[in-house]
């Protein structure tokens, strides 16, 4: 399909709307899905403040694949991709519809790679544990875009920019991860407390500075930022959703930071909204 044909197909399927914001949400522990705390209260407020989207496209830390995939089923299952938590968490179902049509459009507008339409995944907890607070009635369809674990942060940043058109089509793009995420260094007795190791606090402050300065290249090149970043981002999957969100920011847009706390020593809940 040519670029002109793709644009025509997109316009027919999704009419133009007011430009949607973009969100990065620090999802933290899966227990945030069923607990009441300041973080989920912020997610709930977002659901009231943001123009209600037609569809949500979520990039979650918890769907890594070889190649890029997008969920394309009508009824995505709720995936409980964790262990060791109480039964009440496994009982949670989030029955939002999918959108095979948006999945097809997403495949068409991404030219950087060949996107595979997936009918096996669903909604992992990186997606539903935060979206359920924003839209508890599950009345907004949700699709997920996977993270290709073979690619660099620069690649992901450039791929995300190809999603920009969707912001004008009523699609709310949500990145879900954590800017600081080192489970091996978690102080489990402080998981419900605001507490950060020195290196986690240092990395969080630098990340905020780079975000607010618009220094995306420093964030893309996080591996060059020293020991605090190496300890805070030992693996990339929870960090990359931030890169996707920043790749969608227009230079004229503002950024609002919220949930700026670290829990358990090494899980950063920092979240942001691009307006």
């Amino acid at each position: 399909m040519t670029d002109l044909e793709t644009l025509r197909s997109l316009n027919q399927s999704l009419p133009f709307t007011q430009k949607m914001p973009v969100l990065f949400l620090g999802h933290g522990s899966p227990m945030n899905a069923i607990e009441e705390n300041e973080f989920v209260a912020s997610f709930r407020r977002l659901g009231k403040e943001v123009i209600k989207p037609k569809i949500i496209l979520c990039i979650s830390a918890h769907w890594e694949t070889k190649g890029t995939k997008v969920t394309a089923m009508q009824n995505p299952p709720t995936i409980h991709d964790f262990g060791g938590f109480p039964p009440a968490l496994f009982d949670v179902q989030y029955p939002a519809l999918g959108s095979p049509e948006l999945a097809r459009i997403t495949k068409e507008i991404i030219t950087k790679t060949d996107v595979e339409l997936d009918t096996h995944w669903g909604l992992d907890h990186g997606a539903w544990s935060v979206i359920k607070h924003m839209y508890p009635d599950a009345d907004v369809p949700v699709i997920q875009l996977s993270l290709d674990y073979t690619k660099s942060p620069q690649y992901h940043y450039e791929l995300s920019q190809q999603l920009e058109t969707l912001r004008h089509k009523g699609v709310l793009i949500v990145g879900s991860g954590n800017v600081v995420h080192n489970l091996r260094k978690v102080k489990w007795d402080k998981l419900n407390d605001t507490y950060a190791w020195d290196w986690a606090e240092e990395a969080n402050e630098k990340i905020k500075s780079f975000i607010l300065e618009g220094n995306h290249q420093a964030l893309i090149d996080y591996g060059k930022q020293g020991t605090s970043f190496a300890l805070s981002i030992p693996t990339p999957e929870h960090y990359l959703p931030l890169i996707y969100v920043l790749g969608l920011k227009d230079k004229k847009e503002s950024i609002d930071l919220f949930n700026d706390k670290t829990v358990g020593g090494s899980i950063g809940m920092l979240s942001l909204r691009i307006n």
Side-chain angles (χ1 to χ4, degrees):
M1 183 177 288
T2 66
D3 289 346
L4 183 59
E5 290 172 330
T6 298
L7 182 61
R8 186 179 297 117
S9 174
L10 178 60
N11 289 339
Q12 290 174 346
S13 301
L14 293 171
F16 280 102
T17 65
Q18 181 176 339
K19 189 175 185 180
M20 296 296 295
V22 187
L23 306 175
F24 172 78
L25 303 179
H27 64 245
S29 167
M31 288 297 291
N32 285 326
I34 59 174
E35 291 182 340
E36 184 59 45
N37 55 46
E38 61 184 297
F39 307 122
V40 303
S42 292
F43 301 152
R44 193 175 298 118
R45 283 195 298 272
L46 276 177
K48 297 176 180 178
E49 294 171 359
V50 171
I51 298 171
K52 192 167 185 178
K54 295 181 178 179
I55 308 173
I56 295 171
L57 186 154
C58 183
I59 301 102
S60 164
H62 293 279
W63 193 23
E64 294 184 275
T65 57
K66 186 174 182 179
T68 301
K69 300 183 180 183
V70 61
T71 54
M73 68 284 287
Q74 186 64 39
N75 299 100
T78 303
I79 303 172
H80 300 89
D81 49 332
F82 43 70
F85 291 95
L89 188 56
F90 292 88
D91 289 341
V92 175
Q93 295 292 317
Y94 190 69
L97 294 175
S99 176
E101 181 66 6
L102 181 60
R104 180 186 63 79
I105 290 170
T106 302
K107 174 181 173 65
E108 290 173 356
I109 65 174
I110 293 177
T111 59
K112 193 170 182 64
T113 188
D114 184 19
V115 177
E116 178 184 339
L117 297 178
D118 177 90
T119 57
H120 302 289
W121 188 246
L123 300 179
D124 59 57
H125 83 270
W128 61 259
S129 71
V130 290
I131 295 172
K132 74 179 290 289
H133 295 299
M134 296 180 66
Y135 304 107
D137 295 331
D139 55 351
V140 179
V142 183
I143 70 169
Q144 284 195 225
L145 184 72
S146 74
L147 295 169
D148 184 345
Y149 63 79
T150 71
K151 301 299 184 182
S152 69
Q154 183 69 46
Y155 175 93
H156 291 289
Y157 184 80
E158 293 172 1
L159 188 151
S160 76
Q161 293 174 326
Q162 298 192 319
L163 301 173
E164 198 274 338
T165 304
L166 298 179
R167 297 186 61 190
H168 301 270
K169 298 290 185 175
V171 179
L172 178 64
I173 299 175
V174 177
S176 177
N178 293 100
V179 295
V180 173
H181 187 268
N182 188 332
L183 292 184
R184 293 191 176 189
K185 300 292 185 179
V186 169
K187 286 185 68 67
W188 296 104
D189 61 330
K190 293 184 178 293
L191 192 57
N192 294 318
D193 300 332
T194 300
Y195 174 79
W197 296 111
D198 290 346
W199 46 265
E201 185 173 0
E202 177 183 334
N204 187 71
E205 291 302 311
K206 286 184 176 180
I207 288 169
K208 284 194 299 181
S209 294
F210 289 145
I211 290 172
L212 295 176
E213 293 166 4
N215 190 350
H216 293 181
Q217 198 58 51
L219 291 161
I220 292 167
D221 297 332
Y222 72 90
K224 300 178 181 179
Q225 304 304 328
T227 301
S228 66
F229 274 65
L231 286 167
S232 298
I233 313 168
T235 55
E237 77 288 339
H238 277 74
Y239 181 80
L240 286 176
L242 172 67
I243 297 300
Y244 272 80
V245 168
L246 294 176
L248 286 160
K249 182 183 180 297
D250 184 280
K251 290 183 179 180
K252 297 179 181 179
E253 290 182 301
S254 63
I255 290 184
D256 296 325
L257 303 179
F258 59 98
N259 284 357
D260 181 18
K261 293 187 177 180
T262 300
V263 297
S266 60
I267 299 178
M269 299 298 293
L270 179 68
S271 303
L272 65 88
R273 170 179 171 179
I274 296 174
N275 297 297

